[in-house]
Each structure stands twice: as C-alpha cells, then as structure tokens.
Amino acid sequence: GPKVLQIPSHQIIDMGQMVTLNCDPVSNHLYFYWYKQILGQQMEFLVNFYNGKVMEKSKLFKDQFSVERPDGSYFTLKIQPTALEDSAVYFCASSLGTGGAETLYFGSGTRLTVL
Amino acid sequence: GEQVEQRPPHLSVREGDSAVITCTYTDPNSYYFFWYKQEPGASLQLLMKVFSSTEINEGQGFTVLLNKKDKRLSLNLTAAHPGDSAAYFCAVSALENTGGLSGKLTFGEGTQVTVIS
C-alpha cells in the first residue's frame, strides 16, 4: 500500500539546538500532518498543511515549531530552539483529500530525544 | 474538545482466543472512527474505518462494533494469532463548528496486545 517515509527514525539533540524532521509523503497526496506522542501517552495532533499553508494547528504547536514543503519535496517539521519537553515520537501522515473520511497514511515515526 | 479513552492499555491473549479493545469518546459530533495497528518499528496500518452506528463490521480476523448511542467503539480480535501482537489505536474525527469534517484525528492511548502461543 501507500507508504510514508520518515527520516531519521531516531534523533538525539542537545537542548537549544535546531532540529528538522523529514517526511516523504505518499506521492499524490495533498494534505500533510504531524502528530506528537510522548512516551506512554496518546498521539496528539500538531498541525495540518495544504497548498503551502498551515490549515490548522493545536496548542501543542508552539511558536518554536514550523512546517514547510518546499518545491514538493520533503514535508518538514522544524523545532528551533528545542526544549526538553519536545522529546517524543513525531509521526507524519498524508492524505489525498480531507473531510474526515479520508484515510491518513502514517509514517513509522521519528523518536526525538532532547538532552 | 474531543476526548477518547481506550482500554485496556495492555492485553495478553492466548493464541486462538478472542480479545476486545474498547474506546469511548465524548464529542457527539464524532463522525468517522478508525482502528490502526502498529507493529514494532513500523508505521500505523489502517485496519478499518466505520461511520455507521451499531453495525458489526468484519475484517480479516477481527470485528468492529460502533455504538453511537453509548459513544463506544470496540475492536474484537477473533482467534488471535502471533501476527496480531502489536499496538492498536482507535481514532475519531468529528464535525467541525463549520459543519464540515477535517482530517484531524483524536487518538486513544493505545493497547499493547501480546499473543501467547
């Protein structure tokens, strides 16, 4: 089936540094998402993105977070600067359309550890 | 906002037995419901999406029951086998205030299922 690839699978970074998480979404998909899962907790919506713009973001999407998909390449989540509480697994997802019934295809996640 | 509670967090089941995972949700505008399976190191795999109330939806080796009256969604693994060992997540999407639907999902906390041979 369609695959979403996330690179890298693990990333360790010092607090205060910048990190960019990369996502290669399904090729013909138009909507992109980031979800965050802190260890032992449920996955939570961060942001969705369409046509070069953020459509909706949650309160977890702090000012230090940004997303972009330059020239149809990777969909990225940048955190600058990182904080200890940013340690989590970040899941990227994409969908062909939006509307609730659309299937979101997820990547396998990037585990971010902020020291 | 929507809250989704999933139980149990961990589940051990003998091979050949059945097991049930249940999610309850709070938003009466919840409209589409999903079950995902995640094997270690892999991405979330969609098992089923449902929207009809009180229907049993059958998949390969499992059934899904949605009861909108009780705001309850359940996944029943029938005749569990070792390949069912994984984390399972329910997810819900709700109508927005505009009356439309978005791709934003609210997830349950997940259930780690271990099938014992």
Side-chain angles (χ1 to χ4, degrees):
Chain A
K3 288 199 183 300
V4 173
L5 300 176
Q6 286 189 245
I7 305 162
S9 57
H10 293 84
Q11 189 142 3
I12 300 172
I13 198 157
D14 290 325
M15 183 177 64
Q17 287 193 311
M18 181 195 78
V19 69
T20 300
L21 307 184
N22 294 304
C23 171
D24 188 9
V26 179
S27 60
N28 62 336
H29 283 186
L30 301 174
Y31 294 83
F32 312 105
Y33 312 81
W34 284 102
Y35 284 77
K36 175 183 179 182
Q37 185 180 34
I38 294 174
L39 186 64
Q41 298 183 22
Q42 63 212 108
M43 207 173 314
E44 292 187 89
F45 170 81
L46 279 178
V47 65
N48 56 9
F49 187 86
Y50 167 73
N51 199 26
K53 296 175 191 167
V54 169
M55 293 170 57
E56 187 179 359
K57 57 186 179 181
S58 72
K59 62 181 186 301
L60 297 178
F61 194 80
K62 304 182 299 184
D63 291 342
Q64 297 89 327
F65 288 29
S66 63
V67 291
E68 62 176 358
R69 191 181 186 221
D71 301 323
S73 60
Y74 284 154
F75 176 50
T76 63
L77 173 66
K78 185 191 296 186
I79 308 174
Q80 182 178 25
T82 49
L84 293 177
E85 60 265 25
D86 296 331
S87 293
V89 180
Y90 290 84
F91 290 92
C92 171
S94 69
S95 65
L96 185 58
T98 189
E102 290 289 337
T103 297
L104 269 64
Y105 291 87
F106 285 85
S108 51
T110 293
R111 181 178 297 279
L112 176 66
T113 301
V114 181
L115 302 175
Chain B
E2 174 86 88
Q3 292 184 42
V4 178
E5 188 172 301
Q6 183 172 342
R7 292 289 181 266
H10 300 277
L11 189 55
S12 291
V13 57
R14 291 197 178 279
E15 189 172 358
D17 287 352
S18 63
V20 179
I21 305 168
T22 302
C23 288
T24 55
Y25 58 94
T26 57
D27 190 340
N29 290 323
S30 297
Y31 208 79
Y32 284 101
F33 306 84
F34 305 82
W35 281 104
Y36 283 90
K37 174 183 179 182
Q38 186 183 29
E39 297 180 29
S43 56
L44 278 77
Q45 172 196 352
L46 179 70
L47 288 179
M48 185 171 284
K49 62 182 177 187
V50 297
F51 66 95
S52 296
S53 185
T54 61
E55 273 192 21
I56 295 178
N57 299 272
E58 294 191 8
Q60 210 163 12
F62 60 89
T63 57
V64 170
L65 179 63
L66 171 63
N67 186 327
K68 284 192 170 182
K69 178 173 171 292
D70 292 342
K71 298 192 190 69
R72 187 184 302 270
L73 175 71
S74 62
L75 173 68
N76 184 352
L77 301 175
T78 53
H81 59 89
D84 292 333
S85 293
Y88 291 81
F89 297 90
C90 63
V92 180
S93 70
L95 288 170
E96 302 286 300
N97 291 336
T98 56
L101 291 158
S102 79
K104 185 173 74 174
L105 298 178
T106 302
F107 280 85
E109 302 97 328
T111 298
Q112 185 64 48
V113 172
T114 303
V115 179
I116 305 165
S117 299

